[in-house]
Amino acid sequence: MEWISGVAGGLVLILVLRSILRTLVVPRGLYSVLVYRLWWGLRRLLRLTARGRGYRAIDRAETWLAPLMLIGMLTAWLGGAFLGFGMLLYGFSPLSWSISFREAGSSLFTLGFASGARLRLSALDFVAAATGPVVIALQIAYLPTLYSAYNRRELEVTLLQSRAGEPAWGPEILARQWLVDTDVALPQLYRAWERLAADMGESHATYPVLLAFRSPRPYRSWLVSLIAVLDAAAMQLALTPQAAPPEARLVLRAGFTALRDIAASVRATFETDPAPDADIELTYGEFEAAVSMLEKTGFRAERGTEEAWPHFHGWRVNYEAVAYELCRRCDAVPALWTGGRDFPSEPIPPMRPVDRQPPQGRPEVPPSHG
């Protein structure tokens, strides 16, 4: 019995160490069972608290998902280390179960209350005493990395709000630029999101817990915003291949590569090289309605809608399925052209600000400072 306990304790410690290294240390985007199980379990639990009350209630509940995951990971690692060292001490010493776990807890949390009566600390006591502070220190060092990536992400998402509305939608990005004659700013937007996509592909694949961090406002989402930018670039390339900036192609490539890297890190299935004519969920009717809306803003297409559709379809097939799956898993705001959710929802269109130009012939009155 003692020998089996010692071997089992060693295996538990190996699993704990493996999980810590995969989650906090190795910059490779390795799959972590602990992170996935915590995400799955806490997400289901939090959604139960908002059951039947719509998206805003789900968003409020899942605001707690990320901090609970961080606390849960630390608790699981320390609890696993406590169990492993307790079983090892019982297996390789004459101590009873209760005294073994009391000794393990005393050493692991560096309290020292169970060590004074012993003539010397064993090697296990020394290792246990080092394990607790190291795990906590790694978790503390982990937080600035997470929040730095989160702040970079949310800065660009917030800047996109004036261009894409809330929630973001690809055709709305193009419509607003043509409405206010700022279409020349689109290349800069694509460059910024190309860099951000590469950043998110690296950070969110390496630290999947970032997927649980929600935006400060309920109708903003990094994932929905990225889809909107990709759709805007794909529509511009499909409708105006000559006038579209080269940055549109670059942001599309960076965007769907990032989405695939993130999906691979959480073991979501997707087609790595879909055929250009593979099926997509977005319909031609939805695309046609978006093009009609664009034309009313002054957008001038070089191709007809029917001619442009296969080109847009060929771009979107690279990212639609994986983007929809991530939106479903993250319970992102149900925006237009972002697929279904695990809760009853209707697509939410972006709100466009009212045009408040002064009447013709009446000078604009400056605001009063009195």
Side-chain angles (χ1 to χ4, degrees):
M1 181 65 180
E2 289 80 2
W3 180 82
I4 296 175
S5 173
V7 172
L11 291 175
V12 169
L13 288 176
I14 290 172
L15 291 175
V16 169
L17 178 62
R18 184 171 180 266
S19 177
I20 293 171
L21 292 176
R22 293 173 74 91
T23 305
L24 302 181
V25 180
V26 181
R28 188 66 183 243
L30 300 176
Y31 181 79
S32 173
V33 175
L34 174 61
V35 172
Y36 179 79
R37 294 300 180 190
L38 279 172
W39 183 10
W40 182 84
L42 290 171
R43 173 174 169 251
R44 288 177 63 89
L45 182 63
L46 290 170
R47 281 178 52 195
L48 285 176
T49 65
R51 189 173 182 179
R53 289 189 289 161
Y55 166 71
R56 292 186 70 94
I58 289 175
D59 179 74
R60 284 194 300 270
E62 292 198 9
T63 300
W64 297 98
L65 180 57
L68 287 176
M69 284 182 64
L70 294 174
I71 294 172
M73 286 190 296
L74 181 60
T75 303
W77 288 327
L78 291 176
F82 172 66
L83 176 64
F85 282 116
M87 295 175 74
L88 273 175
L89 284 169
Y90 176 76
F92 297 106
S93 74
L95 301 176
S96 65
W97 278 107
S98 60
I99 296 177
S100 295
F101 281 99
R102 186 168 181 265
E103 177 93 10
S106 172
S107 299
L108 182 65
F109 299 105
T110 64
L111 300 174
F113 63 82
S115 299
R118 295 171 61 86
L119 296 177
R120 60 183 180 84
L121 288 175
S122 64
L124 285 176
D125 290 323
F126 282 117
V127 174
T131 300
V134 167
V135 172
I136 295 172
L138 285 173
Q139 181 84 332
I140 292 172
Y142 180 57
L143 293 179
T145 302
L146 293 181
Y147 282 99
S148 176
Y150 174 79
N151 288 335
R152 292 194 303 271
R153 184 187 85 185
E154 293 305 316
L155 174 62
E156 295 297 335
V157 172
T158 302
L159 288 173
L160 187 68
Q161 183 270 335
S162 63
R163 302 178 185 229
E166 286 186 5
W169 183 41
E172 183 72 7
I173 295 177
L174 299 179
R176 292 196 182 194
Q177 308 318 302
W178 263 263
L179 276 172
V180 295
D181 297 322
T182 57
D183 52 287
V184 293
L186 281 171
Q188 180 182 359
L189 174 70
Y190 294 150
R191 283 194 297 271
W193 276 84
E194 178 193 3
R195 181 173 292 275
L196 180 63
D199 186 343
M200 291 191 298
E202 184 275 329
S203 59
H204 290 54
T206 304
Y207 306 114
V209 71
L210 281 166
L211 300 178
F213 280 76
R214 304 183 74 84
S215 293
R217 295 183 58 160
Y219 289 155
R220 289 181 192 167
S221 164
W222 67 272
L223 191 49
V224 168
S225 297
L226 179 57
I227 296 170
V229 172
L230 298 183
D231 283 339
M235 287 192 74
Q236 195 172 9
L237 286 167
L239 293 166
T240 58
Q242 299 300 321
E247 289 85 354
R249 290 178 179 270
L250 297 176
V251 74
L252 277 164
R253 182 70 187 184
F256 69 70
T257 299
L259 289 173
R260 291 175 183 180
D261 289 344
I262 295 169
S265 72
V266 296
R267 293 191 178 178
T269 57
F270 58 90
E271 179 60 50
T272 57
D273 188 21
D277 58 350
D279 292 337
I280 63 172
E281 292 189 30
L282 189 74
T283 65
Y284 173 74
E286 291 174 298
F287 177 74
E288 185 179 32
V291 173
S292 177
M293 181 271 293
L294 272 179
E295 290 174 344
K296 295 176 183 178
T297 67
F299 182 91
R300 294 292 175 261
E302 299 168 8
R303 288 179 174 143
T305 306
E306 288 189 16
E307 184 186 1
W309 168 248
H311 296 276
F312 177 76
H313 181 286
W315 282 113
R316 201 169 207 264
V317 75
N318 290 294
Y319 60 88
E320 186 193 78
V322 65
Y324 281 15
E325 175 63 14
L326 289 174
C327 280
R328 184 189 67 80
R329 292 193 184 201
C330 295
D331 295 317
V333 53
L336 296 172
W337 294 15
T338 61
R341 302 292 184 271
D342 287 340
F343 52 89
S345 63
E346 291 292 331
I348 303 172
M351 294 184 63
R352 187 177 296 171
V354 179
D355 186 2
R356 298 190 181 278
Q357 294 183 10
Q360 294 294 328
R362 189 180 74 181
E364 185 176 1
V365 178
S368 173
H369 295 284

